[in-house]
Amino acid sequence: MSDGAIFAKKPELPLAQHKFAALNGTPEQRQEAMLKLVEGIKVDKMAAFYSRLVAEGVLKEDKALRAELEAASATELTALDKKVEEAKEEHGDLEQNESCIHRAVFLAQIGEDDKAHEAYEEILQRPTTTLNQKLDIVFGKLRLGLFYYRPQLIQKEIDRAHELVNKGGDWDRRNRLKAIECIWRCSQRQFKEASDLFVECLSTYASPELMSLADFVCHGALACAVVMPRSEIKKKVIDAPEVVEVIGYIPNVSRLLRALYDCKYADYFGALSGVETDHLSVSRYLYAHRRFYTREMRIRGYAQLLESYLSLTIKSMADSFGVTQDFIDKELARFVAAGRLHCVIDKVGGIVETNRPDTKNAQYQHTIKQGDLLLNRIQKLSGVMSI
């Protein structure tokens, strides 16, 4: 058995996404997610996870299903315990570790997350555990952290994974770590870091256990859209072969990127609305940032349009974005007051005048200020030396 093979998909991260959609999606999305959630629970004999969902009010209790799941999980756990004992009596350290890992993975699969963490940690501390096995155990703990969304645990295991990878992790595990960290950065609103990781691992993405390529492209492309310069979006995202391969499955994301690059702002706003409904509102990683994201993307659209003009009418700007003049007036006033847009609104004339910041003058003033500070320090130092 190859190292890492048994860590393929347990627990199934899509089930956590189905749970989230069942609570936060549209009525159609909730119904579909609920069906997939129950189906996944049955397939993986997730007795403990099912009990948790019933206690949380996500699912209605089915006593017959609960009894069936508990019996199936108990039977398999007994068989795994037997294999662990056999490995201790008849095999070496490697086989013993693998049998214990199988048992820990099954505990994670059925929803016994605390017991799974304890089992993983016990194996991790063994002197006979290989580097690759340690990495795979950390990935297993990461999956549990992502499944139940425990930020402190996730960050701790990411840091641990980096330490192990730097000691000699292979290419596959390095790439898997980058993909996991990309999604984690998205969930923490660190879109710049997420976009860099997305570009790095996109061409070699091989982590279907994390999410499908289409979902990975969706999250990564949305991160790039909010922080990446327009000139780079087409080269690194829109025209990337891996993006082209799956972009048809996420049409609103495709429209958003294309409209931003082509400066078609009415289509851009329409696509942004679709992205919020179809992706931000149902993604367990992006849901908390949906308002921030749509606001930043609106600011980006306004700023991109204003960059092309010294002045333009409010009516022209409203027509460009396909909204009313009153909406544009309120939006610009709010963002100008917050210092996010560099322009002045002439309400009487119905004109928006840009006042781009003078970066060269700002750099000059900064240099003068730093020079004054340096001279003051030199004077103080000369006074000390003369004494």
Side-chain angles (χ1 to χ4, degrees):
M1 179 179 61
S2 61
D3 278 347
I6 58 178
F7 288 92
K9 291 184 177 182
K10 307 303 177 188
E12 294 273 2
L13 289 179
L15 290 179
Q17 177 58 43
H18 295 328
K19 174 191 173 184
F20 188 84
L23 295 173
N24 299 283
T26 63
E28 295 78 10
Q29 290 170 335
R30 291 182 182 186
Q31 184 177 5
E32 181 182 0
M34 197 72 75
L35 293 173
K36 290 181 178 179
L37 184 59
V38 174
E39 180 182 353
I41 288 172
K42 290 179 180 178
V43 170
D44 280 348
K45 309 164 187 173
M46 303 180 73
F49 184 57
Y50 176 78
S51 298
R52 177 177 300 197
L53 294 183
V54 170
E56 293 175 355
V58 179
L59 296 176
K60 294 181 180 179
E61 184 176 15
D62 182 336
K63 293 184 178 180
L65 176 59
R66 184 199 289 268
E68 179 185 340
L69 293 171
E70 289 177 347
S73 60
T75 299
E76 187 156 346
L77 192 57
T78 300
L80 288 169
D81 288 336
K82 183 178 179 181
K83 289 181 179 180
V84 169
E85 293 302 319
E86 290 177 353
K88 289 179 179 179
E89 295 175 0
E90 302 175 9
H91 300 289
D93 293 333
L94 181 61
E95 291 78 6
Q96 290 179 36
N97 288 344
E98 288 184 347
S99 62
C100 290
I101 290 172
H102 273 291
R103 184 179 183 279
V105 170
F106 183 71
L107 289 171
Q109 171 185 316
I110 62 176
E112 294 283 4
D113 56 312
D114 290 335
K115 293 181 179 179
H117 276 298
E118 292 175 4
Y120 280 141
E121 197 63 35
E122 190 274 327
I123 304 166
L124 195 62
Q125 300 305 322
R126 293 179 182 180
T128 56
T129 306
T130 66
L131 176 63
N132 283 341
Q133 284 179 334
K134 287 181 179 180
L135 266 170
D136 290 327
I137 289 170
V138 170
F139 282 134
K141 289 170 71 70
L142 261 174
R143 290 185 65 79
L144 284 170
L146 289 169
F147 191 89
Y148 297 102
Y149 199 72
R150 295 174 177 169
Q152 291 184 345
L153 173 64
I154 295 169
Q155 188 59 59
K156 173 186 173 183
E157 297 305 331
I158 284 178
D159 293 341
R160 182 187 277 183
H162 276 295
E163 292 178 6
L164 293 172
V165 161
N166 291 335
K167 291 180 181 179
D170 58 23
W171 167 86
D172 177 65
R173 290 174 173 84
R174 288 176 184 271
N175 200 56
R176 285 168 60 195
L177 179 58
K178 286 181 180 179
I180 292 172
E181 191 169 4
C182 172
I183 299 302
W184 169 240
R185 297 295 180 187
C186 283
S187 74
Q188 297 301 292
R189 201 186 285 181
Q190 298 171 358
F191 293 121
K192 179 63 175 67
E193 294 83 351
S195 66
D196 292 339
L197 289 164
F198 173 72
V199 172
E200 285 181 27
C201 67
L202 176 61
S203 61
T204 52
Y205 182 75
S207 302
E209 75 283 355
L210 176 63
M211 59 178 59
S212 67
L213 177 59
D215 286 338
F216 184 70
V217 166
C218 176
H219 286 77
L222 290 177
C224 291
V226 77
V227 297
M228 188 175 284
R230 175 173 169 267
S231 58
E232 295 181 15
I233 285 179
K234 182 171 175 59
K235 178 182 177 182
K236 295 183 178 180
V237 183
I238 296 176
D239 290 342
E242 295 77 18
V243 174
V244 173
E245 179 184 345
V246 299
I247 201 68
Y249 297 105
I250 43 177
N252 282 319
V253 176
S254 176
R255 282 178 58 210
L256 184 73
L257 295 172
R258 285 286 180 185
L260 178 64
Y261 183 78
D262 295 335
C263 303
K264 296 179 179 179
Y265 298 110
D267 194 32
Y268 174 74
F269 262 28
L272 183 59
S273 176
V275 164
E276 182 178 12
T277 302
D278 295 343
H279 302 293
L280 300 179
S281 295
V282 293
S283 168
R284 55 196 295 261
Y285 303 113
L286 298 175
Y287 179 82
H289 314 300
R290 64 195 187 284
R291 293 180 180 174
F292 169 85
Y293 188 89
T294 54
R295 182 177 68 248
E296 291 300 308
M297 291 301 288
R298 294 201 310 276
I299 292 173
R300 177 161 195 177
Y302 297 144
Q304 184 168 294
L305 176 62
L306 290 170
E307 281 179 2
S308 305
Y309 302 93
L310 290 174
S311 65
L312 73 165
T313 64
I314 294 178
K315 182 180 184 305
S316 172
M317 194 168 180
D319 292 341
S320 295
F321 284 96
V323 296
T324 64
Q325 294 183 50
D326 185 55
F327 178 84
I328 282 290
D329 182 49
K330 290 180 179 178
E331 284 271 279
L332 292 182
R334 182 157 63 101
F335 295 140
V336 169
R340 301 302 308 279
L341 291 175
H342 303 288
C343 63
V344 176
I345 305 170
D346 181 354
K347 183 67 173 178
V348 176
I351 295 173
V352 180
E353 297 180 357
T354 59
N355 56 350
R356 299 179 183 84
D358 187 348
T359 55
K360 287 187 177 180
N361 185 56
Q363 290 174 353
Y364 174 76
Q365 294 296 333
H366 179 71
T367 302
I368 294 297
K369 183 178 180 180
Q370 293 299 314
D372 288 341
L373 290 173
L374 179 60
L375 287 173
N376 289 335
R377 290 176 180 175
I378 291 175
Q379 289 176 351
K380 290 181 180 179
L381 180 61
S382 63
V384 172
M385 292 178 66
S386 63
I387 293 173

